[in-house]
Protein backbone atom coordinates (compact mmCIF):
# COMPACT_ATOMS: atom_id res chain seq x y z
CA UNK A 1 0.00 0.00 0.00
CA UNK A 2 1.31 3.41 -0.93
CA UNK A 3 1.63 6.08 1.71
CA UNK A 4 -0.82 8.95 1.68
CA UNK A 5 0.56 11.65 -0.64
CA UNK A 6 -0.24 14.40 1.86
CA UNK A 7 1.72 12.47 4.49
CA UNK A 8 4.67 12.03 2.09
CA UNK A 9 4.90 15.79 1.53
CA UNK A 10 4.02 16.55 5.18
CA UNK A 11 1.23 18.97 4.26
CA UNK A 12 -2.41 19.16 5.31
CA UNK A 13 -5.27 18.25 2.99
CA UNK A 14 -6.15 21.95 2.83
CA UNK A 15 -2.63 22.96 1.72
CA UNK A 16 -2.41 25.51 -1.07
CA UNK A 17 -0.67 24.76 -4.37
CA UNK A 18 2.22 26.94 -3.21
CA UNK A 19 2.58 25.03 0.09
CA UNK A 20 2.63 21.74 -1.81
CA UNK A 21 5.26 23.01 -4.24
CA UNK A 22 7.44 24.33 -1.40
CA UNK A 23 7.19 21.04 0.53
CA UNK A 24 8.10 19.05 -2.60
CA UNK A 25 11.12 21.21 -3.40
CA UNK A 26 12.41 20.88 0.16
CA UNK A 27 12.12 17.08 0.07
CA UNK A 28 13.56 16.88 -3.45
CA UNK A 29 16.65 18.77 -2.34
CA UNK A 30 17.00 16.73 0.84
CA UNK A 31 16.66 13.29 -0.79
CA UNK A 32 18.03 13.94 -4.30
CA UNK A 33 20.19 10.98 -5.45
CA UNK A 34 23.07 13.33 -6.34
CA UNK A 35 23.21 14.52 -2.72
CA UNK A 36 22.89 10.98 -1.33
CA UNK A 37 24.94 8.73 -3.62
CA UNK A 38 24.45 5.05 -2.95
CA UNK A 39 21.61 5.57 -0.45
CA UNK A 40 18.61 3.49 -1.60
CA UNK A 41 16.38 4.88 1.18
CA UNK A 42 16.95 8.47 0.05
CA UNK A 43 16.30 7.44 -3.56
CA UNK A 44 13.02 5.79 -2.53
CA UNK A 45 11.92 8.88 -0.57
CA UNK A 46 12.82 11.08 -3.57
CA UNK A 47 10.65 8.93 -5.87
CA UNK A 48 7.78 8.98 -3.35
CA UNK A 49 7.94 12.78 -3.15
CA UNK A 50 8.00 13.05 -6.96
CA UNK A 51 4.96 10.76 -7.26
CA UNK A 52 3.10 12.72 -4.60
CA UNK A 53 3.87 16.02 -6.29
CA UNK A 54 2.84 14.67 -9.69
CA UNK A 55 -0.64 14.04 -8.28
CA UNK A 56 -1.06 16.89 -5.78
CA UNK A 57 0.58 19.49 -8.02
CA UNK A 58 -2.04 18.94 -10.74
CA UNK A 59 -5.46 20.37 -9.76
CA UNK A 60 -7.48 17.71 -11.65
CA UNK A 61 -5.42 14.77 -10.39
CA UNK A 62 -5.58 16.16 -6.85
CA UNK A 63 -9.35 16.49 -7.03
CA UNK A 64 -9.61 12.90 -8.23
CA UNK A 65 -7.17 11.69 -5.53
CA UNK A 66 -9.18 13.44 -2.81
CA UNK A 67 -12.30 11.47 -3.71
Amino acid sequence: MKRDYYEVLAVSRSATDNEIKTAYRKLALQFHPDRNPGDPTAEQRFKEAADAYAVLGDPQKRQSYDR
Side-chain angles (χ1 to χ4, degrees):
M1 163 99 187
K2 282 191 171 189
R3 286 176 53 202
D4 178 63
Y5 286 149
Y6 291 99
E7 186 182 303
V8 171
L9 295 180
V11 294
S12 70
R13 290 196 172 273
S14 60
T16 65
D17 291 343
N18 209 28
E19 289 171 328
I20 289 170
K21 188 184 293 185
T22 302
Y24 166 68
R25 285 183 175 163
K26 188 174 102 179
L27 287 174
L29 280 174
Q30 183 179 350
F31 294 113
H32 196 281
D34 290 347
R35 290 183 131 189
N36 302 281
D39 184 347
T41 305
E43 186 178 338
Q44 184 60 37
R45 296 284 308 271
F46 180 76
K47 287 178 183 174
E48 262 187 341
D51 288 345
Y53 183 69
V55 172
L56 300 182
D58 180 308
Q60 274 128 1
K61 288 180 184 176
R62 182 178 180 186
Q63 191 176 33
S64 178
Y65 177 77
D66 286 344
R67 275 196 220 115

